[in-house]
Amino acid sequence: MIRVSNLSKTFTLHNQGAAAIPVMEGATLTVASGECVGLTGASGAGKSTLMRMIWGNYLAASGSIKVGDTDVATAEPRQIIALRRATLGYVSQFLRVVPRVPTLDVVAEPLRVLGAPADEARSHAATLLTRLNIPERLWSLSPTTFSGGEQQRVNIARGFAHPYPALLLDEPTASLDAANRETVLALIEEAKGRGAAILGIFHDEGARARVCDRLVDVTAFTPKAVA
Amino acid sequence: MTDQSYNFAYLDEQTKRMIRRAILKGIAVPGYQVPFASREMPMPYGWGTGGVQVTAACLTPEDRLKVIDQGADDTTNAVSIRKFFQRTAGVATTEATAEATLIQTRHRIPEHPLTEDQILVYQVPIPEPLRFLEPRETETRKMHSLEEYGLMHVKLYEDIARHGSIATSYAYPVKVEGRYVMDPSPIPKFDNPKLGDCPALQLFGAGREQRIYALPPHTQVVSLDFDDHPFQATKAPHDCDLCGASESYLDEVIVDDAGNRMFVCSDTDFCRSRREAGHAGRLTMQEAAE
Amino acid sequence: MKMEPITATPLLRVDNLTKRYGSRIGCADVSFDLWPGEVLGIVGESGSGKSTLLSCLAGHLTPDEGQVIFDTAGGPRDVLRMTEPERRRLSRTDWAFVHQNPRDGLRMGVTAGGNVGERLMAVGARHYGDIRDRATDWLGRVEIAAERIDDRPTAFSGGMQQRLQIARNLVTGPRLVFMDEPTGGLDVSVQARLLDLLRGLVREMGLSAIIVTHDLAVVRLLADRLMVMKSGRVVEQGLTDQVLDDPQHPYTQLLVSSVLQV
């Protein structure tokens, strides 16, 4: 489902004397449907960079990133937009939402953009929020006012609202208590069960051991010059 | 008897030809406002300078002129214009609608049906019906040329929103031959139905604004409205207190400090001729009884 | 669940659009495609040519060169070669324009209902009750209470005026909306409400929009794609989060790094 081959990435900092910083080289990995692959490597080795390149908000210098039939490395913006709507989900570490929008609608949004009726989308969102222990009295409030842990759970609910065939998870269990961690792991297992291809970054070793079928160390993709 | 120091009907021949050309253009394109080089007239703007110039361009020595102001032949405005043409054109005048060949009017259409031998000249203060909502002349000209008249209905919408019904009671906008939206001058909307299919030639002159427009005989004229708020030609729900007419447009006159009022025909010639023919209203019958 | 089909024809195709003011460049060689349902943000500092570009696209300015091809009901047409009546018709049916200053986009002497109803009447609506019902519905959709329908915009706050302007523009179901700094001049909290509203409307109506703004936070939340302008030229374009998170052009890098993180 996700097939990354020979991917490289260089940052050029024009405002710092056009310094060119190669950050990735020859990155290659695959994630099959129903499989969860964990990225490992020291901080700064390029785990998040790789995730962002697959998501499409970092440009690839060369190589290919196939998600389904779309090559994110070369696709038109509108193809990536379509990919993100229906196929590729992403739970980042940051919640970015329009202020003032109620939590319930934030979580329902991915279903709404796919054309689901408002009631249906909201009721599905409610189920997820309940599972993630977000008290119902908070659903009508904007998550921008929530604590870090609550925001993280809203972000997860939103990421799992639509059954994406491919999922990117960036530290989904960070800063969660035991019960919520358990729920998130269950959500990941359910997603795997329905055939989602999942690529994740898990610092939580127990979580990694439980849900990941394979690990890929991104240190192997670090350019030699830098390493 | 013509005052010899004036050219016939005051204006010089070249000016009258220029105005006639504008009139002909207006007749050729019913409802379209034709610009013309309006002249200074020996009367203030607002006193009918547009109508007077159109009348001057149309008059022949054989014409018989009638001038009315809000239906009346005897108000200052009517009298002074009538005298103006008596003096400068030496034409015959009349107060009888049926006898006139040219009628200059301010704010009314006579009750007596007009004929194809007659010309009705309207005095127009503001010829542009769209100005209420769109003050830019360049834009209103464009709206006319492109037939973009949605704004006219916004005006009527506002009327209903504020008053519950279309409260515009005079200068009620019309559409001419399905094309141009036109301001019929401040006639009461009661008179609007008479604009359409009229046998007489109707000419409109706006002196200050330098515009002439026209309705040739038997032109289709439709008052704008909404499907669920159709146009209604309203009048005071009374009969004339002097002649008893039930179908004429009435003026309301306060007669004393106690707030007593009477309703009389605004068309003085119509009212007088009915009384002469023996019709009577509430007050005339009272007087007769006393 | 219905999927947004990937159509073969862009809604708008702009080709080498150039506008000069004498020897000065307003905008030059601007080309892009806008696809149905897409929101395109145009960012750049004051004087970068973004407003000139928007005016050329919307037909308020005549460009010196280029094409603006819109996918009309009768197939793609170069808007710049349309007759004036055709272009004006387009601007009150398939197109809409939301001005930065609501006073430029509203009739301040006309009630809220009349403002919303004008476009309906312009395309032939002649039933007062229907016009009023649709105006009431639209006031509701932009969160203006129905009982304000007979108030004039002069009695409204800035945020309400802007929402009224949006209702007035969207009532005829346009397919393409041009917005010039739609949240400019509004308080931050009012901005957020407007952003939420716009996002919902874009989604529900399948609108395409071109939004000119200097506010990167606004485009991040509203725009699918982003175009960065400098000195009248497009220096970078792409997916919004890609341009903001991984800017390639020196100017974009400077622009993004100049924004205070909130």
Side-chain angles (χ1 to χ4, degrees), chain B residues 196-224:
Chain B
D197 200 28
C198 176
L201 172 63
Q202 300 175 83
L203 304 175
F204 299 77
R208 178 176 38 208
E209 303 261 347
Q210 314 200 334
R211 294 288 184 273
I212 285 171
Y213 49 101
L215 295 174
H218 303 292
T219 298
Q220 184 208 56
V221 179
V222 176
S223 301
L224 300 180

Side-chain angles (χ1 to χ4, degrees), chain C residues 177-248:
Chain C
V177 186
F178 300 99
M179 299 191 199
D180 188 7
E181 302 273 7
T183 59
L186 297 178
D187 291 344
V188 179
S189 64
V190 179
Q191 273 193 23
R193 189 175 184 186
L194 197 70
L195 284 176
D196 174 29
L197 180 76
L198 284 173
R199 246 165 73 125
L201 291 172
V202 163
R203 183 184 59 211
E204 283 159 30
M205 302 177 71
L207 285 176
S208 302
I210 298 180
I211 299 180
V212 160
T213 179
H214 62 269
D215 189 337
L216 297 183
V218 166
V219 286
R220 187 182 279 276
L221 294 173
L222 270 185
D224 300 306
R225 280 168 48 208
L226 198 56
M227 221 158 76
V228 182
M229 292 191 72
K230 182 181 191 315
S231 308
R233 290 173 191 277
V234 176
V235 296
E236 181 163 359
Q237 56 177 317
L239 273 177
T240 300
D241 58 1
Q242 181 262 301
V243 174
L244 295 178
D245 295 342
D246 187 15
Q248 304 294 305

Side-chain angles (χ1 to χ4, degrees), chain A residues 164-203:
Chain A
Y164 298 101
L167 261 178
L168 305 173
L169 306 175
D170 192 350
E171 299 260 27
T173 55
S175 71
L176 295 185
D177 60 26
N180 286 315
R181 174 175 174 274
E182 180 55 36
T183 306
V184 173
L185 293 177
L187 282 170
I188 295 172
E189 283 165 347
E190 287 164 26
K192 277 172 70 178
R194 63 167 163 76
I198 300 173
L199 183 65
I201 301 172
F202 303 89
H203 284 157

Side-chain angles (χ1 to χ4, degrees), chain A residues 9 12 59 100 109 114, chain C residues 2 193 203 245-246 253:
Chain A
K9 172 72 187 162
T12 306
L59 280 184
R100 269 187 31 117
E109 171 86 9
L114 284 165
Chain C
K2 85 172 189 295
R193 189 175 184 186
R203 183 184 59 211
D245 295 342
D246 187 15
Q253 291 188 354

